[in-house]
Amino acid sequence: MTRLVFWSLMALCLAVEIWGLVIDNRDVHYIGAIAGCGVIGVSRLLYRAARYEEFAEAGEER
């Protein structure tokens, strides 16, 4: 996940949270917050997977 994609998704989640506050609907606000946590979680998993592949490739070359 590139930084542009990550920050675009986070901005979208933040906009959903703010929209939920503006229309006074807590469910929409919570959905935005949970989606933001999901974006962070997926980003970290993809980062770890990429690092694991780098270490695995380095081990195969030896």
Side-chain angles (χ1 to χ4, degrees):
M1 179 179 296
T2 64
R3 287 182 187 229
L4 178 64
V5 171
F6 174 78
W7 287 111
S8 298
L9 290 173
M10 288 304 291
L12 179 65
C13 293
L14 182 63
V16 169
E17 285 186 58
I18 292 172
W19 182 53
L21 290 174
V22 168
I23 64 171
D24 198 27
N25 188 340
R26 286 188 180 175
D27 291 339
V28 174
H29 173 72
Y30 291 144
I31 288 170
I34 291 170
C37 292
V39 169
I40 292 170
V42 168
S43 173
R44 291 189 51 83
L45 284 173
L46 290 174
Y47 176 73
R48 282 187 151 189
R51 287 189 50 124
Y52 178 76
E53 287 178 2
E54 290 175 10
F55 289 131
E57 288 175 1
E60 292 174 359
E61 293 176 1
R62 291 184 180 174

